Amino acid sequence: MVDGTRRPGRPRSEAARLAILKATHDELLERGYGGLTMEGIAARAGVGKQTIYRWWRSKADVALDSLLNVASEGIPIPDQGDLEADLSAFLRRTFGMQESEGPVLKGLLAQSLLDPEFADAFRDRFLAGRRAALNTVLKQAVARGEIPAEADLGLLHDVVYGVLWYRLLFRTAPLDDGAARGIASLIAGSVRHRE
């Protein structure tokens, strides 16, 4: 708190928080989003269920924090000095995580369609965060002169994440290294031709 006072109740334990996030991720990988329960998380983390509810409103909220934790650790922002190389590296890591995290993403997307409050959190915390990470890659290319300053970066975000969500949800084609290289080449080529 700004005034230095502590909120009522027991202080939040960082060790317990991390154990809950790890347990949630393990449960998601083992049981999927549909099989995730607060009881299962609590048992695996070695905490009481009330501890989880003290910090998270629902299983969707704790699953979202678990996913944010994994995404922030697993997808670094490359800076190899070349738009196509940076995009390809970023997308290979992003797409590579879909094998394990794809079912979690689909579950959270389904939950966001049912729960408007969660939809706001999913959009503002996860989707916006992933767009911000991609935006860093694109802004590096703008600074190097590879993307014109007036380019519509939002449209480039939509191209990347549109492909990801379409392929993830409908399994029309794989999200693999070839897809990552293809999208990187498509975007790099499209901005070169606009100069």
Side-chain angles (χ1 to χ4, degrees):
M1 304 211 96
V2 177
D3 65 3
T5 60
R6 191 171 64 76
R7 286 174 38 182
R10 190 179 295 170
R12 186 171 183 158
S13 160
E14 183 64 8
R17 186 187 76 81
L18 292 173
I20 291 166
L21 292 177
K22 181 178 182 338
T24 301
H25 189 250
D26 292 345
E27 287 284 301
L28 284 165
L29 294 179
E30 190 175 300
R31 302 179 192 290
Y33 182 75
L36 183 68
T37 65
M38 292 298 219
E39 292 83 5
I41 296 168
R44 191 177 284 240
V47 301
K49 197 166 67 167
Q50 70 279 7
T51 299
I52 299 171
Y53 278 116
R54 186 178 305 127
W55 299 331
W56 291 279
R57 176 178 73 94
S58 68
K59 77 174 192 175
D61 292 313
V62 70
L64 176 59
D65 276 358
S66 171
L67 185 63
L68 286 165
N69 195 47
V70 169
S72 68
E73 292 175 0
I75 308 174
I77 310 260
D79 188 359
Q80 301 176 41
D82 175 75
L83 171 61
E84 190 169 342
D86 287 349
L87 267 177
S88 185
F90 179 79
L91 295 177
R92 279 195 319 273
R93 290 298 292 270
T94 299
F95 292 176
M97 291 187 74
Q98 300 318 305
E99 178 129 356
S100 61
E101 307 306 323
V104 177
L105 278 173
K106 289 191 269 190
L108 293 177
L109 178 62
Q111 183 65 35
S112 74
L113 297 173
L114 301 171
D115 179 349
E117 186 176 341
F118 179 73
D120 291 342
F122 187 57
R123 181 194 62 234
D124 295 345
R125 296 184 60 224
F126 181 76
L127 299 178
R130 298 322 310 149
R131 286 178 75 94
L134 175 58
N135 202 52
T136 299
V137 173
L138 298 176
K139 287 284 195 181
Q140 290 170 172
V142 171
R144 292 189 299 257
E146 294 177 276
I147 297 178
E150 68 278 2
D152 183 352
L153 299 185
L155 180 60
L156 299 180
H157 295 146
D158 291 344
V159 168
V160 168
Y161 289 117
V163 169
L164 183 148
W165 282 104
Y166 188 76
R167 288 186 176 194
L168 180 65
L169 292 173
F170 300 109
R171 293 180 284 177
T172 57
L175 285 167
D176 57 13
D177 287 356
R181 285 190 303 273
I183 293 170
S185 175
L186 176 72
I187 289 176
S190 73
V191 295
R192 274 195 296 270
H193 295 313
R194 296 175 75 187
E195 294 182 297

